[in-house]
């Protein structure tokens, strides 16, 4: 079992990491960004992320006798590396995918539990589509999707802004059998 993946895929820690992408935030700023996470839970999860080298303390200042820490993502700390992925067996991948799906289910359950849920008005949805692509087209599509999203990551919460969760699951179909054997046996 990969310890880094377990750390990254925990629902609260995943939200903290998302809030930290491209940002430096104090615990107070994180509490404002993630108001539904109890303060004690936030502090406990921040400590785990720092100990694992995923977050780093980039500034400390004394405020009324307490030390306020400012955090940032450690360089490449949040990434699951190719080496990490190669070390996972099928059971690990299934377990981590289930954790990912559980997070999505929790987010959707929170949304669906609202009194005024209106998927059309809110721009909510879920769908599965199949596209047929060459390897070059596949790589270009992934690049295009990433470029479309990265521009909005620095947006802070504020008046007129609502948090939207965008999840991607990219699953290649089975490879086509390209052998052209003419041997009848």
């Amino acid at each position: 079992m990969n310890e880094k993946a377990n750390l990254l895929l925990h629902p609260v820690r995943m939200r903290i990491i998302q809030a930290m992408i491209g940002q430096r935030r104090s615990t107070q700023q994180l509490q404002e960004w993630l108001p539904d996470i109890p303060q004690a839970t936030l502090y406990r999860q921040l400590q785990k992320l720092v100990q694992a080298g995923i977050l780093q303390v980039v500034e400390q200042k004394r405020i009324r006798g307490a030390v306020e820490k400012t955090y940032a993502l450690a360089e490449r700390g949040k990434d699951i590396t190719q080496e990490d992925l190669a070390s996972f067996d099928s059971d690990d991948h299934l377990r981590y995918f289930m954790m990912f799906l559980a997070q999505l289910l929790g987010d959707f359950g929170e949304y669906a539990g609202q009194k005024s849920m209106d998927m059309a008005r809110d721009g909510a949805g879920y769908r599965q589509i199949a596209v047929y692509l060459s390897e070059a087209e596949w790589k270009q599509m992934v690049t295009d999707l990433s470029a479309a999203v990265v521009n909005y990551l620095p947006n802070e919460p504020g008046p007129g802004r609502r948090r939207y969760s965008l999840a991607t699951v990219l699953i290649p179909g089975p490879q086509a059998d390209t052998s052209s054997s003419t041997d009848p046996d």
Side-chain angles (χ1 to χ4, degrees), residues 51-76:
Q51 288 173 344
I54 295 167
L55 290 181
Q56 61 187 7
V57 177
V58 294
E59 183 181 343
Q60 294 186 57
K61 59 183 172 183
R62 190 162 289 287
I63 300 177
R64 294 184 296 276
V67 175
E68 180 183 64
K69 296 178 181 176
T70 299
Y71 301 90
L73 286 171
E75 185 68 28
R76 314 266 335 142

Side-chain angles (χ1 to χ4, degrees), residues 101-114 117:
L101 291 177
Q103 175 68 33
L104 283 179
L105 187 58
D107 288 350
F108 191 78
E110 183 179 359
Y111 168 71
Q114 299 177 108
M117 179 181 154

Side-chain angles (χ1 to χ4, degrees), residues 75-145:
E75 185 68 28
R76 314 266 335 142
K78 70 182 183 334
D79 298 340
I80 295 177
T81 66
Q82 290 300 320
E83 292 80 22
D84 292 333
L85 287 172
S87 73
F88 297 174
D89 64 19
S90 294
D91 289 339
D92 288 333
H93 282 293
L94 286 171
R95 184 173 37 260
Y96 299 139
F97 190 69
M98 291 289 284
M99 292 168 71
F100 172 77
L101 291 177
Q103 175 68 33
L104 283 179
L105 187 58
D107 288 350
F108 191 78
E110 183 179 359
Y111 168 71
Q114 299 177 108
K115 292 179 183 174
S116 63
M117 179 181 154
D118 182 336
M119 289 184 64
R121 177 198 67 217
D122 296 336
Y126 46 89
R127 65 191 53 84
Q128 181 176 1
I129 60 170
V131 293
Y132 293 87
L133 306 166
S134 68
E135 187 172 338
E137 291 168 329
W138 164 256
K139 288 178 180 178
Q140 186 61 53
M141 185 187 78
V142 170
T143 299
D144 293 345
L145 288 171

Side-chain angles (χ1 to χ4, degrees), residues 141-181:
M141 185 187 78
V142 170
T143 299
D144 293 345
L145 288 171
S146 295
V149 172
V150 75
N151 294 327
Y152 300 97
L153 292 177
N155 287 3
E156 297 283 339
R161 285 202 174 137
R162 181 178 189 179
R163 183 175 71 88
Y164 289 84
S165 180
L166 172 66
T168 56
V169 178
L170 304 169
I171 305 170
Q175 272 195 300
D177 184 8
T178 56
S179 65
S180 56
S181 174

